[in-house]
Amino acid sequence: MLIVLGCEPIRNEMDEYIYRPRSTLLINKVDGKNHHNYTCTLNFTLGGVTGSVSETIDACVIEEHSMVPQVHEPTNGTISAQIGSNFSQLCSVFVPGVGLPFVDVLWCQLNQFEIFTSIDPADRIYITYQPLRHQDGPNKGVWLEVLLTFSELRKEDFHINFTCQAQSSRGHPQAYFTLVPADPNILIPIGSLFGCVMVFFIISVIIYYMFKVDIVLCFRRVFPVLYTNKDMDGRLYDAYVACLQPCAIGFSEEVETFTLQTLPRVLEKACGYKLFIAGRDCVPGEAIVDSVEENIQASRRLLLLYTASTFSSKKHTSSTSSSSSNNNNLSKNNNSEDNGESKMGEGGSGERSEEVFPDTRQNLEVLLAMHKTLLEGSLKVVLVELEEITSAQLALFPESVQHLRKKQGAVCWWREQRKKQRRRTCMTRREDEEKAEGDAQLSPSLSPSSRFWKEIRYYMPVRGKRAVYPERTALLNL
């Protein structure tokens, strides 16, 4: 037998053409040049007659070929998943070559000899064939992808190998993955707990700043044993009251009534504090400097009472007195509330001399108080604002007072009086008004539970019950 390529006979060459038994020709490394007509000639002798038979085959070379498939996914590892959740895993196979490969990709469970063939999403486990993707470039080929989906993971799905296998004439590569139960996700509960804590903290801070005074006063009342007893600290007074003296700039009957009647009535009689008030508790004939220094040193707090014209010099008296008369919210009803209380003598509250002088005592009180609170830090000063202060009036205040007012604020008596005046304006029956004016004990401005007196009590010393020992001292400042 002889095979002829065109007109040239094909020789048995190991590198390109090889003759095999049963009249078979093997062509190595087929390419476009092997596209020819191949003629097979058979010479024979039959009955003494020699002859030959020939057949021509048109060999058409098609440039399509496929190499061994490569499984890229899964990666022969474990995957964590939650029981009851849905899960999907892609089987990704790359087939190097040209043209469409003859490769089948399937999902199976080799341990139980089960092949997943369902494509119905209604089934718990089903597969989805993805579109073919051709890859160009030096490494040409086709990507075959099949998606395995679990609509609900069950306990029996875990710790089992799910295998993706590519079947072709070139080989049967495969890869698998194993499901394992996922660890509890602690990020969600931790995040939820952190969020709740932050919300609770923000709400607590808002509530504390809105009701700070009430919370602190309630805490002091409920837990007095947490606070030290101040009676053994060597000081005689809970507070030194610094106020204007008669014939001083800014002095008025309302200031005098508040200082000598309203303040002692609430803080001393209702709350049990001990106050030092100049003009009431001074020793006759005592030098002003000695009296101020000794009594401030013997006091735990200093209540600085002031109006719009308290710190004004004589040259500012005319300008500030006019604005003070417009902004003065000290209600003269303090006199009507305290009808049962002692009044100033007619000589003191009736006709007064038109000549006013700077208050030397209060200037000394302010100077010592600012020195002790701002420089030494040994005294706490509480600013008590008796009438509304405008920015122009505030500019006339000493810088130390302005700094302290900006730093810690002031307790405003005029706000309490404004609320009281508003309540009286809303009264519709005359007998209710007369009853409210006649019953001083029912007046909100004299009640220790009103906002003004709560703020005063907040700054006053704590009346604790815990004894202080020299070798062991505990401080609790709220």
Side-chain angles (χ1 to χ4, degrees):
M1 184 190 70
L2 180 65
I3 299 178
V4 179
L5 175 61
C7 297
E8 296 293 332
I10 298 177
R11 305 299 179 184
N12 188 6
E13 299 175 357
M14 298 299 295
D15 57 342
E16 185 173 2
Y17 301 103
I18 301 175
Y19 283 98
R20 286 189 173 183
R22 297 187 179 182
S23 305
T24 302
L25 177 66
L26 176 62
I27 303 176
N28 291 323
K29 301 178 181 180
V30 176
D31 55 18
K33 69 180 181 179
N34 298 117
H35 189 164
H36 290 285
N37 293 328
Y38 293 86
T39 304
C40 178
T41 303
L42 177 62
N43 298 318
F44 64 92
T45 301
L46 181 61
V49 178
T50 302
S52 63
V53 178
S54 300
E55 183 179 359
T56 301
I57 302 174
D58 185 8
C60 181
V61 178
I62 301 176
E63 294 189 8
E64 289 186 0
H65 64 277
S66 298
M67 306 301 291
V68 179
Q70 303 169 4
V71 180
H72 288 258
E73 290 187 65
T75 58
N76 298 333
T78 58
I79 300 176
S80 300
Q82 295 285 349
I83 297 178
S85 64
N86 56 6
F87 178 80
S88 299
Q89 174 61 46
L90 185 68
C91 175
S92 182
V93 178
F94 178 71
V95 183
V98 179
L100 295 177
F102 295 96
V103 179
D104 291 329
V105 178
L106 53 89
W107 278 102
C108 61
Q109 189 175 333
L110 296 180
N111 295 341
Q112 300 180 3
F113 303 101
E114 180 181 3
I115 299 177
F116 302 106
T117 58
S118 175
I119 61 173
D120 187 3
D123 294 335
R124 191 178 73 88
I125 304 176
Y126 62 93
I127 61 175
T128 305
Y129 291 97
Q130 306 297 316
L132 293 178
R133 294 189 294 114
H134 293 271
Q135 177 176 305
D136 296 327
N139 189 18
K140 296 182 179 181
V142 178
W143 286 93
L144 305 176
E145 297 176 336
V146 180
L147 184 67
L148 177 66
T149 303
F150 296 80
S151 59
E152 181 184 2
L153 288 177
R154 296 178 181 176
K155 186 177 181 180
E156 58 267 21
D157 298 327
F158 291 88
H159 305 291
I160 296 177
N161 293 342
F162 293 92
T163 304
C164 171
Q165 188 176 72
Q167 295 183 344
S168 71
S169 60
R170 298 281 185 170
H172 308 283
Q174 62 185 23
Y176 68 90
F177 73 92
T178 305
L179 290 174
V180 294
D183 295 332
N185 188 2
I186 62 175
L187 294 180
I188 295 179
I190 290 179
S192 302
L193 179 62
F194 180 76
C196 293
V197 170
M198 288 299 298
V199 172
F200 177 76
F201 175 77
I202 294 174
I203 294 177
S204 300
V205 171
I206 294 175
I207 292 177
Y208 178 75
Y209 277 98
M210 291 179 61
F211 304 98
K212 177 181 179 180
V213 174
D214 300 270
I215 293 174
V216 172
L217 292 179
C218 179
F219 191 85
R220 292 175 181 176
R221 183 176 64 255
V222 176
F223 303 103
V225 294
L226 299 178
Y227 300 89
T228 57
N229 190 344
K230 300 294 185 180
D231 295 337
M232 304 301 294
D233 62 355
R235 301 194 178 187
L236 302 177
Y237 305 102
D238 291 307
Y240 182 102
V241 180
C243 59
L244 289 172
Q245 301 299 311
C247 299
I249 298 174
F251 181 81
S252 64
E253 294 181 3
E254 291 78 11
V255 174
E256 186 178 38
T257 302
F258 178 81
T259 304
L260 298 179
Q261 298 180 21
T262 306
L263 200 63
R265 181 172 183 176
V266 177
L267 292 184
E268 290 187 333
K269 294 183 179 180
C271 300
Y273 291 108
K274 188 175 181 181
L275 306 179
F276 178 88
I277 302 177
R280 186 194 71 170
D281 301 320
C282 291
V283 178
E286 185 179 13
I288 293 179
V289 175
D290 296 337
S291 175
V292 171
E293 185 174 3
E294 291 177 1
N295 290 298
I296 288 181
Q297 187 68 27
S299 302
R300 302 179 183 92
R301 300 287 188 273
L302 187 139
L303 302 181
L304 179 58
L305 280 57
Y306 62 90
T307 61
S309 57
T310 297
F311 302 104
S312 301
S313 60
K314 191 171 183 180
K315 63 181 180 180
H316 294 109
T317 303
S318 59
S319 62
T320 57
S321 60
S322 60
S323 66
S324 173
S325 62
N326 294 330
N327 296 320
N328 190 356
N329 292 294
L330 286 171
S331 175
K332 293 185 179 181
N333 289 311
N334 283 327
N335 293 331
S336 62
E337 293 174 351
D338 300 308
N339 277 331
E341 302 288 336
S342 59
K343 296 184 178 180
M344 296 296 295
E346 294 181 359
S349 60
E351 297 181 358
R352 293 189 180 272
S353 174
E354 294 181 357
E355 187 176 4
V356 293
F357 302 93
D359 191 347
T360 306
R361 184 183 186 92
Q362 191 183 47
N363 291 339
L364 182 59
E365 291 170 343
V366 172
L367 182 62
L368 286 176
M370 294 299 108
H371 178 81
K372 288 181 176 295
T373 186
L374 296 179
L375 297 181
E376 297 181 359
S378 59
L379 179 67
K380 290 186 178 181
V381 177
V382 181
L383 301 179
V384 182
E385 201 167 281
L386 300 180
E387 64 184 34
E388 189 172 3
I389 307 297
T390 64
S391 56
Q393 295 166 344
L394 182 62
L396 301 176
F397 283 26
E399 293 184 1
S400 58
V401 178
Q402 295 183 40
H403 172 75
L404 187 62
R405 185 177 184 270
K406 182 179 180 180
K407 179 181 178 181
Q408 70 179 33
V411 184
C412 300
W413 170 250
W414 55 268
R415 290 179 181 171
E416 190 73 20
Q417 295 300 100
R418 180 177 294 176
K419 294 179 182 178
K420 177 182 174 182
Q421 188 66 29
R422 190 180 297 115
R423 284 193 295 267
R424 288 182 175 177
T425 304
C426 296
M427 288 184 178
T428 56
R429 300 180 61 183
R430 183 175 182 81
E431 56 269 25
D432 293 340
E433 182 177 358
E434 294 176 354
K435 181 179 179 181
E437 292 178 354
D439 194 351
Q441 293 182 353
L442 296 179
S443 174
S445 61
L446 296 180
S447 173
S449 61
S450 65
R451 187 65 185 175
F452 172 78
W453 295 112
K454 281 184 178 180
E455 293 183 9
I456 292 290
R457 290 160 52 201
Y458 171 79
Y459 289 107
M460 291 294 285
V462 183
R463 309 190 68 82
K465 293 184 179 181
R466 182 163 56 86
V468 179
Y469 299 96
E471 68 277 4
R472 189 177 179 182
T473 302
L475 299 179
L476 180 59
N477 294 324
L478 287 177

